[in-house]
Amino acid sequence: MHARLDSSHTLLLVKVYSERTRMGGIPPSEMTVSVDHGQVIPSPLMESSTSSTSLRAASPVPLSLESLVSHLVASKRSLSSVEQVWRANEIIGSTKCHLEAAVITSARTSFLRSGIATHLRTLKLVHAHNTAVALEGAHEYGEVVKTLDAADHRLKDTMTRLKSTMVENRLRPKSDQEKSLLDFVDEGSVEKVLLTLQDSIEVAQSAHQALVQTNMAFHNDLKRVERLTGGPEVRRDHSAADEPPECSDIPVASISPIPDILQDMEGRSRDMADSLESLVKHFDLCLMAIKHTEGGGDAAIRLTADLPDGAGMEEDVAGAPQPIGDKERQNMLDVIAKDADQVEEVVMEICDHVTAMESQLETVAAYVARLKEDDSRVTAAFNVLEDIGRRLQAFVAQGHVFVMRWDEEKMKITERMDELSSLEDFYVGYLRAYDNLLVEIGRRQFMEQQMEKVLQDAARKLDVLYGEDRIRREAFMNDYGDFLPADIWPGLTNPPLQFETRPKDGRERAPDISKSVIQRAIRRVETGT
């Protein structure tokens, strides 16, 4: 491989070639130029002509001064390609700067991304813990609310039954309005317990909601860091999508294309330097040919007055030509005629190389820009991570606060639920007691009826005994009354003793409740409904 030839090497080629032409008189078809490390590079314009040297010798190509001037003008125009070579050198320099920036930026980005990934794993564990706390709290909260709803439903159902159960009118004074069993209990105690429960539930729900919101904010921050760093979740999401991801959403490829591009550029630069060397040789040959043509000296000076900057041909133009033989001059004319047709092609190749290198430079610049964008995103992710770190203690504390608050409120809720259950048991017992009251009233009615039967039977017997006693008293007075003084016993003439059967102390009888009402109460007591 030839050593890379930049613009300074090209200038050296021109000067060396010119010196060797003046001093050695080497035939143009055999000329070569020594470059870096003593390596020899043949002119591309000459390569295709070496194989036909014998043919040219047998068939010389006559060239007039006008033709030589035309070739010199074309060759002079081709020397403007030195600007393309300078541009290639600038492109390579820019590419090297881009390579250096890419290495530094990529190393910084990789270091930050690696550190961020390590911290992300730790933060995800913290987030998973708080998420588990929130889920467990939500589960317990759901179970408590479910149990509370069931207890509240049972209590309300019991209170509805109390409200729909009207107290029998015969149990109340006639002046009282119709009342239900609910009118005889204090509903305020129920409302107080329910309000306390509602407060505890709202406090627990608020604490849980705060934890959920904190977890969501923490989760969003972690997702933002992953999105900025192009984490696995981002790549997995893009791989599942129908459309390709945007360049700004995923990290830059880990393998840099710049080294390969730079190597290709250097190869193109060598080719351009070789091509420029060939163009310089061709120009020198044309110049020498004109100088060795009658009347060509003045034309050579006039045509080379405005050579491109950096061509390094000033001394060759001003110098006197070295004498050469006719055979050498004819060989030189043959080479000029052969190479003249290839000048434009060589110039186009140089332009094509520069165009390709310009495109490669754009690719490199775009890649470095992407690296810098990626670095900016990773830096932004690092800043987000720093912000998360500042809030991490509060985030962890939020989980502990929720657990403490929930345990406290759960204890209060349990106590209130016990009170609610006690109230429900009381109201259920109240309903059952009222049914048993009706059953008791029915029993008392039956007993009073039995007592009345006994009293009625006793009254009949007392009437019989009273009649017998009255008859016997009358018989006694008829037999012995005339003989006994009236004051011997004040009660001698009294009628028989009479007895009355009535409730003692004016007590009320059992209320007259219909048998159907009592029967329904009996069925409810027996079935427990």
Side-chain angles (χ1 to χ4, degrees):
M1 295 293 291
H2 298 304
R4 183 177 63 82
L5 297 178
D6 57 14
S7 300
S8 60
H9 293 145
T10 304
L11 184 57
L12 177 61
L13 288 170
V14 176
K15 291 181 177 180
V16 170
Y17 175 73
S18 300
E19 290 294 329
R20 294 187 63 183
T21 302
R22 283 198 308 273
M23 297 174 61
I26 302 173
S29 60
E30 299 176 1
M31 290 181 183
T32 57
V33 181
S34 177
V35 197
D36 294 341
H37 308 295
Q39 197 168 7
V40 177
I41 302 178
S43 171
L45 294 176
M46 304 304 177
E47 289 175 356
S48 61
S49 62
T50 56
S51 61
S52 58
T53 304
S54 61
L55 294 178
R56 290 196 211 98
S59 302
V61 179
L63 289 176
S64 64
L65 178 60
E66 289 78 6
S67 297
L68 289 175
V69 169
S70 176
H71 292 327
L72 181 62
V73 171
S75 179
K76 173 186 171 183
R77 257 194 326 265
S78 70
L79 292 183
S80 63
S81 298
V82 70
E83 297 178 0
Q84 306 292 335
V85 177
W86 281 111
R87 177 56 186 157
N89 186 60
E90 292 175 358
I91 291 174
I92 290 177
S94 298
T95 302
K96 288 182 177 180
C97 292
H98 283 311
L99 177 60
E100 181 180 354
V103 170
I104 295 173
T105 304
S106 181
R108 165 188 161 85
T109 304
S110 298
F111 175 76
L112 282 178
R113 181 176 280 116
S114 176
I116 289 173
T118 301
H119 287 296
L120 267 180
R121 287 192 291 270
T122 303
L123 292 175
K124 283 183 178 180
L125 292 176
V126 176
H127 177 261
H129 175 267
N130 266 24
T131 301
V133 170
L135 290 175
E136 183 179 359
H139 176 72
E140 291 183 358
Y141 175 80
E143 292 296 323
V144 168
V145 170
K146 186 185 299 184
T147 303
L148 182 59
D149 287 342
D152 182 63
H153 178 74
R154 291 193 303 269
L155 179 61
K156 288 182 177 179
D157 181 66
T158 302
M159 295 183 70
T160 300
R161 290 173 60 192
L162 289 175
K163 188 174 182 179
S164 62
T165 302
M166 306 306 296
V167 178
E168 291 294 325
N169 292 332
R170 294 183 179 275
L171 296 179
R172 304 293 303 157
K174 293 181 179 181
S175 59
D176 279 2
Q177 296 179 350
E178 190 176 25
K179 293 184 177 181
S180 67
L181 291 180
L182 189 61
D183 294 327
F184 294 91
V185 297
D186 182 15
E187 295 184 67
S189 58
V190 177
E191 295 295 333
K192 182 178 179 181
V193 172
L194 291 177
L195 286 175
T196 305
L197 279 171
Q198 184 176 357
D199 291 341
S200 296
I201 289 175
E202 288 179 354
V203 170
Q205 189 175 17
S206 176
H208 181 263
Q209 189 65 27
L211 179 60
V212 170
Q213 291 177 353
T214 304
N215 285 353
M216 182 58 66
F218 196 79
H219 173 76
N220 291 338
D221 286 341
L222 294 182
K223 285 294 183 183
R224 184 183 174 194
V225 172
E226 286 184 339
R227 180 177 58 81
L228 289 172
T229 56
E233 287 76 5
V234 176
R235 291 194 290 272
R236 185 164 55 248
D237 292 343
H238 285 309
S239 64
D242 294 332
E243 298 182 356
E246 296 295 334
C247 294
S248 60
D249 291 336
I250 59 177
V252 182
S254 58
I255 300 177
S256 171
I258 299 181
D260 292 338
I261 291 177
L262 183 58
Q263 184 179 5
D264 184 72
M265 283 183 175
E266 290 175 341
R268 291 180 183 274
S269 178
R270 286 191 293 269
D271 292 343
M272 291 171 68
D274 293 343
S275 298
L276 182 60
E277 177 188 2
S278 301
L279 293 174
V280 170
K281 287 180 179 181
H282 179 68
F283 176 82
D284 199 16
L285 286 177
C286 291
L287 184 61
M288 288 179 62
I290 288 179
K291 285 184 176 182
H292 286 87
T293 302
E294 185 178 356
D298 294 337
I301 295 174
R302 190 169 56 252
L303 291 174
T304 57
D306 55 347
L307 286 174
D309 294 337
M313 302 293 295
E314 292 80 0
E315 295 180 1
D316 299 295
V317 173
Q322 297 291 333
I324 60 174
D326 293 338
K327 183 177 180 181
E328 292 175 344
R329 182 177 182 279
Q330 186 59 50
N331 287 339
M332 181 170 57
L333 294 178
D334 291 342
V335 172
I336 291 173
K338 178 68 175 179
D339 290 348
D341 296 334
Q342 303 179 25
V343 170
E344 190 66 26
E345 180 181 350
V346 172
V347 172
M348 291 300 297
E349 287 180 357
I350 292 175
C351 292
D352 290 343
H353 280 311
V354 171
T355 302
M357 291 175 70
E358 293 282 5
S359 177
Q360 289 175 323
L361 180 61
E362 292 179 0
T363 301
V364 169
Y367 175 78
V368 173
R370 291 232 3 240
L371 278 179
K372 291 181 179 179
E373 289 177 2
D374 190 42
D375 181 68
S376 298
R377 289 194 301 272
V378 173
T379 301
F382 180 77
N383 293 334
V384 174
L385 205 63
E386 281 189 324
D387 183 60
I388 293 175
R390 287 190 290 269
R391 294 183 287 111
L392 181 60
Q393 186 175 0
F395 175 71
V396 174
Q398 186 71 38
H400 294 298
V401 168
F402 168 73
V403 171
M404 293 171 56
R405 185 72 58 82
W406 171 237
D407 288 342
E408 180 181 348
E409 297 303 323
K410 183 167 58 176
M411 184 179 300
K412 293 180 181 179
I413 291 173
T414 302
E415 293 175 355
R416 299 292 87 76
M417 286 179 63
D418 291 341
E419 293 182 15
L420 208 61
S421 179
S422 298
L423 287 172
E424 181 197 354
D425 292 341
F426 174 77
Y427 292 150
V428 170
Y430 179 29
L431 273 171
R432 189 178 299 113
Y434 179 71
D435 287 336
N436 279 277
L437 173 62
L438 296 178
V439 174
E440 175 64 14
I441 290 174
R443 185 194 66 79
R444 292 185 183 186
Q445 286 179 346
F446 176 76
M447 295 305 296
E448 288 179 356
Q449 291 171 0
Q450 295 300 315
M451 290 179 185
E452 287 178 348
K453 289 181 181 179
V454 172
L455 289 177
Q456 290 174 359
D457 184 60
R460 286 192 299 271
K461 290 181 178 180
L462 287 174
D463 289 342
V464 171
L465 292 174
Y466 179 82
E468 292 180 358
D469 186 29
R470 181 176 58 76
I471 292 172
R472 286 179 176 271
R473 288 189 181 204
E474 289 178 355
F476 176 79
M477 290 302 295
N478 289 333
D479 292 339
Y480 302 107
D482 293 338
F483 300 101
L484 294 172
D487 57 354
I488 193 171
W489 177 35
L492 179 61
T493 59
N494 289 341
L497 185 63
Q498 290 183 322
F499 294 89
E500 294 181 356
T501 57
R502 58 183 179 81
K504 185 178 181 182
D505 301 331
R507 297 176 183 174
E508 296 182 0
R509 298 168 58 88
D512 187 14
I513 306 297
S514 65
K515 290 184 179 181
S516 60
V517 172
I518 295 174
Q519 289 299 324
R520 286 195 295 271
I522 292 173
R523 283 195 297 271
R524 287 194 296 270
V525 170
E526 291 177 348
T527 58
T529 58

